[in-house]
Amino acid sequence: MIPNILTRAMAESLQQLILDTLHENSTIPDTRSLVIPGQSEPASSQEAQITILGALNSLLSRDMVKVETHEIVSHVLTPEGSQIAAQGSHEARVWAALPEKGQSSPLTVVELKKQVGDETAKVGQSRGFKNGWIGKEGAGFVKLVSTIKDTTQLDLVEVQSSGTLKSGEKDLADLRKRKLILQRKGQWFTVQKGPEFSTSTAKPETDLTVEMLTSGSWKTSTYKKYNFEAEGAPTAGGALHPLLKVREDIRNIFLEMGFAEMPTASFVESAFWCFDALFVPQQHPARETQDTFYVSDPPHSLQPNLEYYKKVSTVHEHGGFGSMGYRAPWSHEESSKLLLRTHTTASSTHMLYKLAARCRGEDMEGDQPTTSKNGEKDDGFRPAKLFSIDRVFRNEAMDATHLAEFHQVEGVVADRNLTLADLIGFMKTFFSKMGIEQVRFKPAYNPYTEPSLEIFAFHPLLNKWVEVGNSGMFRPEMLEPMGFPKDVRVHGWGLGLERPTMIRYGINNIRTLVGHKVPIESIENTPAPRL
């Protein structure tokens, strides 16, 4: 607390000095002539003027003074400049170390470096040759003149004492270029009496207290003016990341179209749910360590439902449900591996398996099979529209458009007798709600969808078609082992969250959108999107 008291006392003393000086002289032409209390020299330094400015600002806020600011430019020496001012320039030190021509053996480069040092020898040689002070003789160097005038040292000494050079800006610019001096901008002030001038530093009251009302001192007190134009301090609060803003906009589109959100909290999945249940072959290259992050501890997942597990392994190895399968040996060890999910379709697979529980006669919650309108027995299937937006992980090399961790937007629609035309019509409606009207579809291959379509949208800023997603109809080899009736079809599609966000905000490097180097200010100032 003592330093604060001393600082406050010093500030009040300085304010009183300014007011007393104005009372005697009506004006202070140059604050550099003031002697700050506790000091013996006039306040000529920039640090002293900053101290005076603090006192002036306090008096200005009470309209006790009027201040005119004067800008000044001065120079200070760098560490190298200070060394030259004390010891001489590099070229002068090199000249002093060399013998005169014809009087003794020339000094070699190695010998010169030993005497003056590597840096001085290097710089001093160059400028010494340029000035005509030294010359080369055989394998060494000698003096060419008997006396020199070290202008660099003299200029630096002058700058050190006065902050400038009488010779002018050209020489100052040369010293700045050589990084021997630095330019410093400063200011000093002319002070005059203000409309509320007084020699008293007593501060006006800011609050009307009970004590003042009781004693009656409020009648004779002076009060600080209320500043109606002052802005309140901005409230500190959280800010949504641009990804979260676009995510919320896309989420609202799904909810508007009648979708329900899937739980996607399982970042770690088994290879069975991430690949096998989707009818991805166990020999698929995407399952290798080059594309997938595998978990070493624990090494294996829990066993899924044994009956379903056998159906999946059988359709892979031997075929079934109208398929010949992959005709490759089934590996339980491969199926039980744990990994960071490479797509949220793993969560979709879980949800579809639960959706088919009624079709398998499980989890009926006490309901009894009913009869449909056409007299047929109810098979338990109920249509569903589900979506998710969450993180996935790929073992990829990171660059301007790829990260090892990103977000995937995924949706599935399950109903009877769906067609590819239904999928295309839905995707056009979905993207139109995102503000993308021009959409094209291209046949593609996915292990778990047939037919499959890549989705392209026209980007007006880039003036070209860009891929925005992938889609398709889940294969019977995936759906029928779960227990779905043969007439049930499931649409599935996915797109990245980062690419629409980068397009929306004009970002060309994903590392400026996601990562530890993203400045908090950019997140706080990012507007909400309008898709």
Side-chain angles (χ1 to χ4, degrees):
M1 292 298 295
I2 292 177
N4 290 336
I5 293 173
L6 291 175
T7 302
R8 190 179 304 114
M10 176 181 171
E12 291 178 354
S13 299
L14 182 55
Q15 291 174 29
Q16 190 64 59
L17 171 65
I18 294 171
L19 295 175
D20 291 343
T21 306
L22 285 174
H23 180 66
E24 294 176 4
N25 304 314
S26 298
T27 184
I28 301 175
D30 189 341
T31 52
R32 291 176 294 184
S33 64
L34 292 174
V35 178
I36 295 175
Q39 303 293 320
S40 58
E41 299 291 334
S44 57
S45 69
Q46 185 56 34
E47 291 75 13
Q49 290 302 306
I50 291 174
T51 302
I52 291 174
L53 176 60
L56 291 175
N57 284 336
S58 180
L59 298 174
L60 273 170
S61 66
R62 290 178 274 167
D63 292 330
M64 298 178 72
V65 297
K66 293 187 291 184
V67 177
E68 182 181 354
T69 302
H70 306 274
E71 299 288 342
I72 57 171
V73 176
S74 63
H75 294 81
V76 295
L77 305 189
T78 64
E80 183 182 1
S82 299
Q83 183 186 32
I84 291 175
Q87 302 176 11
S89 65
H90 297 297
E91 54 269 29
R93 278 179 274 170
V94 167
W95 175 87
L98 296 178
E100 291 190 14
K101 184 176 181 180
Q103 293 188 2
S104 60
S105 300
L107 209 64
T108 65
V109 174
V110 175
E111 292 170 335
L112 181 61
K113 287 182 177 180
K114 286 181 179 179
Q115 289 199 31
V116 299
D118 291 354
E119 183 66 21
T120 297
K122 179 181 177 181
V123 177
Q125 284 179 55
S126 174
R127 298 194 67 85
F129 278 118
K130 182 179 179 180
N131 294 342
W133 294 354
I134 65 174
K136 190 168 178 58
E137 187 175 283
F141 303 94
V142 294
K143 294 178 181 176
L144 295 182
V145 294
S146 57
T147 60
I148 61 170
K149 182 180 179 181
D150 192 354
T151 307
T152 301
Q153 183 184 26
L154 295 174
D155 286 347
L156 289 174
V157 171
E158 183 181 349
V159 170
Q160 193 174 40
S161 61
S162 65
T164 187
L165 283 176
K166 293 180 181 178
S167 57
E169 176 60 27
K170 183 178 180 182
D171 291 335
L172 287 171
D174 181 61
L175 293 177
R176 286 197 299 268
K177 185 178 179 181
R178 294 173 62 184
K179 297 183 179 179
L180 300 179
I181 62 172
L182 292 174
Q183 190 179 74
R184 290 281 187 266
K185 289 186 177 181
Q187 53 188 0
W188 56 274
F189 312 96
T190 297
V191 188
Q192 295 177 334
K193 294 179 180 180
E196 302 294 332
F197 176 78
S198 169
T199 56
S200 173
T201 58
K203 293 185 177 180
E205 300 291 344
T206 57
D207 293 303
L208 188 63
T209 64
V210 174
E211 290 77 11
M212 294 169 64
L213 293 171
T214 303
S215 65
S217 62
W218 65 274
K219 298 178 181 179
T220 56
S221 298
T222 57
Y223 298 92
K224 185 177 181 180
K225 291 182 179 180
Y226 194 90
N227 186 359
F228 289 95
E229 297 181 358
E231 296 182 356
T235 56
L240 289 178
H241 191 280
L243 280 175
L244 295 180
K245 294 177 182 178
V246 176
R247 179 192 185 279
E248 188 63 21
D249 224 39
I250 294 177
R251 182 175 180 270
N252 288 333
I253 292 174
F254 276 117
L255 295 176
E256 178 188 325
M257 298 181 74
F259 281 73
E261 192 164 7
M262 293 184 281
T264 54
S266 300
F267 287 178
V268 177
E269 284 284 3
S270 68
F272 175 81
W273 287 109
C274 196
F275 297 123
D276 295 334
L278 273 72
F279 199 58
V280 177
Q282 293 191 332
Q283 298 76 25
H284 197 283
R287 299 175 67 148
E288 296 178 359
T289 56
Q290 287 85 356
D291 293 310
T292 306
F293 290 108
Y294 284 96
V295 177
S296 59
D297 186 19
H300 301 291
S301 66
L302 297 176
Q303 177 75 38
N305 177 275
L306 185 58
E307 181 181 355
Y308 176 54
Y309 179 82
K310 288 182 177 179
K311 288 181 179 180
V312 172
S313 62
T314 299
V315 76
H316 272 256
E317 192 170 12
H318 305 292
F321 308 102
S323 171
M324 63 182 294
Y326 291 115
R327 302 301 176 96
W330 174 266
S331 170
H332 174 72
E333 182 180 357
E334 177 69 26
S335 183
S336 64
K337 288 181 179 179
L338 285 169
L339 50 90
L340 295 179
R341 66 183 179 204
T342 58
H343 48 198
T344 51
T345 314
S347 299
S348 303
T349 310
H350 277 287
M351 294 304 298
L352 290 173
Y353 180 72
K354 291 180 180 179
L355 184 64
R358 295 177 62 90
C359 304
R360 299 191 301 269
E362 305 170 8
D363 194 25
M364 301 287 287
E365 299 180 356
D367 293 346
Q368 297 299 321
T370 59
T371 303
S372 63
K373 293 181 180 179
N374 57 11
E376 296 179 357
K377 185 178 179 180
D378 182 7
D379 56 15
F381 172 73
R382 299 291 183 270
K385 294 191 291 186
L386 307 169
F387 81 96
S388 67
I389 308 173
D390 213 333
R391 283 179 285 179
V392 297
F393 310 87
R394 303 275 176 87
N395 191 1
E396 295 187 19
M398 292 185 289
D399 56 30
T401 58
H402 295 85
L403 292 176
E405 175 184 342
F406 56 96
H407 290 76
Q408 182 175 340
V409 180
E410 175 151 344
V412 294
V413 176
D415 206 344
R416 299 182 190 274
N417 301 316
L418 293 176
T419 65
L420 187 63
D422 296 321
L423 174 60
I424 292 174
F426 170 80
M427 295 310 300
K428 287 184 175 180
T429 302
F430 176 80
F431 280 103
S432 69
K433 290 180 177 291
M434 289 182 62
I436 301 175
E437 299 293 343
Q438 294 178 273
V439 180
R440 286 179 179 176
F441 301 89
K442 174 185 174 183
Y445 167 76
N446 288 318
Y448 44 89
T449 57
E450 180 59 38
S452 305
L453 297 172
E454 289 179 347
I455 309 166
F456 291 81
F458 185 76
H459 194 304
L461 295 179
L462 299 177
N463 196 31
K464 67 177 183 179
W465 293 87
V466 295
E467 184 181 353
V468 294
N470 210 322
S471 64
M473 301 179 67
F474 286 121
R475 298 177 66 98
E477 294 95 327
M478 173 186 167
L479 300 177
E480 293 188 30
M482 295 179 176
F484 283 112
K486 289 183 176 296
D487 61 346
V488 171
R489 306 285 185 269
V490 179
H491 293 157
W493 72 94
L495 59 144
L497 183 63
E498 282 76 6
R499 180 168 291 181
T501 304
M502 291 172 69
I503 293 174
R504 171 61 184 82
Y505 290 107
I507 298 171
N508 58 13
N509 191 327
I510 194 171
R511 287 168 290 195
T512 63
L513 174 68
V514 182
H516 65 284
K517 293 185 178 181
V518 178
I520 296 297
E521 294 78 11
S522 68
I523 296 176
E524 292 176 342
N525 298 328
T526 300
R530 290 185 178 180
L531 299 177

